[in-house]
Amino acid sequence: DVKVTQSSRYLVKRTGEKVFLECVQDMDHENMFWYRQDPGLGLRLIYFSYDVKMKEKGDIPEGYSVSREKKERFSLILESASTNQTSMYLCASSPGMWTDGPGQPQHFGDGTRLSIL
Amino acid sequence: AQTVTQSQPEMSVQEAETVTLSCTYDTSENNYYLFWYKQPPSRQMILVIRQEAYKQQNATENRFSVNFQKAAKSFSLKISDSQLGDTAMYFCAFMNSGGYQKVTFGTGTKLQVIP
């Protein structure tokens, strides 16, 4: 079965810290995504990656960066954490369009609830 | 840019009854995909149903079905015989047919099934 694993369910950090959120998928998917989920705002795309070492900005990339050194792993980095980055972070993956055809659904991890104090 | 609107932040339904969740979207594309995702409390987001825009037939998955009105850009989800396990946040989502397979999500509807 499809599996997307996020390294932490809950994380508490302090303002100014550099924070790493890790995501690993075991389906050999080309596409990986990072979202933040806030009440009343739904899911907003931070960054995505369509191949190893390739990345694209989403709708709210400010204050974040990403790394994809291996196909199965996609890391979200908060360069200098701030309180307004307190949120639920969701990682997702999906097959590439040229692999399984277009319109494939995304598969999600359990989420990381991050608190910045 | 595409937008997805879910106008019902919260809904409730009695167990065994039927409920319909609304979703509208805005796009100039002719070919695209629509999804409903379910996020139970403190649990993983999972796919409920998927619709291809070029298919006229409404998608169905057991007790879940959609009413897809392409001209009206409407994509509602009907849950029949509601069960306690249907209590969750439901997100409507839109994906273009090309590009990087990015998805635009609505703001969600919180559904409570009442025993």
Side-chain angles (χ1 to χ4, degrees):
Chain A
D1 201 9
V2 168
K3 189 71 174 177
V4 178
T5 303
Q6 294 184 230
S7 52
S8 306
R9 287 300 300 272
Y10 301 93
L11 204 55
V12 180
K13 297 291 183 180
R14 298 210 172 271
T15 55
E17 281 192 69
K18 191 169 186 176
V19 181
F20 294 85
L21 303 184
E22 306 288 344
C23 176
V24 176
Q25 50 97 1
D26 66 358
M27 295 84 68
D28 201 37
H29 285 167
E30 282 76 13
N31 302 323
M32 295 189 75
F33 307 84
W34 274 106
Y35 297 91
R36 65 177 282 174
Q37 181 180 3
D38 299 289
L41 297 178
L43 277 70
R44 293 179 292 167
L45 181 64
I46 304 171
Y47 267 97
F48 67 99
S49 168
Y50 54 91
D51 201 352
V52 176
K53 296 190 186 294
M54 306 305 289
K55 60 186 179 183
E56 292 286 337
K57 292 180 179 179
D59 300 317
I60 52 164
E62 296 77 21
Y64 303 94
S65 63
V66 291
S67 172
R68 194 169 180 198
E69 296 296 319
K70 293 184 178 182
K71 190 175 185 180
E72 67 270 19
R73 185 179 297 271
F74 192 35
S75 303
L76 179 69
I77 304 157
L78 285 66
E79 297 291 344
S80 178
S82 65
T83 55
N84 62 11
Q85 292 178 310
T86 291
S87 186
M88 169 71 85
Y89 290 86
L90 295 178
C91 175
S93 72
S94 68
M97 188 170 68
W98 310 112
T99 305
D100 289 17
Q104 298 302 315
Q106 295 183 2
H107 301 267
F108 286 84
D110 288 336
T112 295
R113 187 165 293 282
L114 175 64
S115 296
I116 307 295
L117 305 179
Chain B
Q2 284 77 25
T3 58
V4 178
T5 301
Q6 294 180 249
S7 58
Q8 305 150 314
E10 294 189 24
M11 296 186 72
S12 62
V13 63
Q14 291 290 136
E15 196 175 4
E17 297 294 307
T18 295
V19 64
T20 298
L21 280 58
S22 301
C23 173
T24 58
Y25 57 93
D26 186 27
T27 184
S28 57
E29 302 293 326
N30 188 50
N31 197 19
Y32 48 87
Y33 299 85
L34 296 163
F35 307 87
W36 278 99
Y37 284 89
K38 170 185 177 181
Q39 187 182 41
S42 301
R43 292 180 62 188
Q44 192 179 56
M45 181 107 67
I46 58 173
L47 177 71
V48 175
I49 204 162
R50 171 182 178 268
Q51 175 79 43
E52 300 175 58
Y54 60 87
K55 288 188 176 179
Q56 295 299 314
Q57 187 172 5
N58 289 324
T60 299
E61 287 288 341
N62 301 314
R63 298 181 295 106
F64 298 87
S65 61
V66 297
N67 183 5
F68 173 49
Q69 302 288 329
K70 191 172 184 179
K73 298 179 182 176
S74 171
F75 183 61
S76 60
L77 175 70
K78 185 172 83 171
I79 306 174
S80 304
D81 186 25
S82 297
Q83 301 175 0
L84 296 179
D86 296 333
T87 291
M89 282 289 290
Y90 287 83
F91 292 95
C92 178
F94 172 100
M95 178 195 289
N96 270 328
S97 62
Y100 297 125
Q101 306 287 281
K102 286 170 53 179
V103 174
T104 300
F105 287 86
T107 53
T109 296
K110 186 177 183 180
L111 177 67
Q112 181 76 39
V113 179
I114 302 167

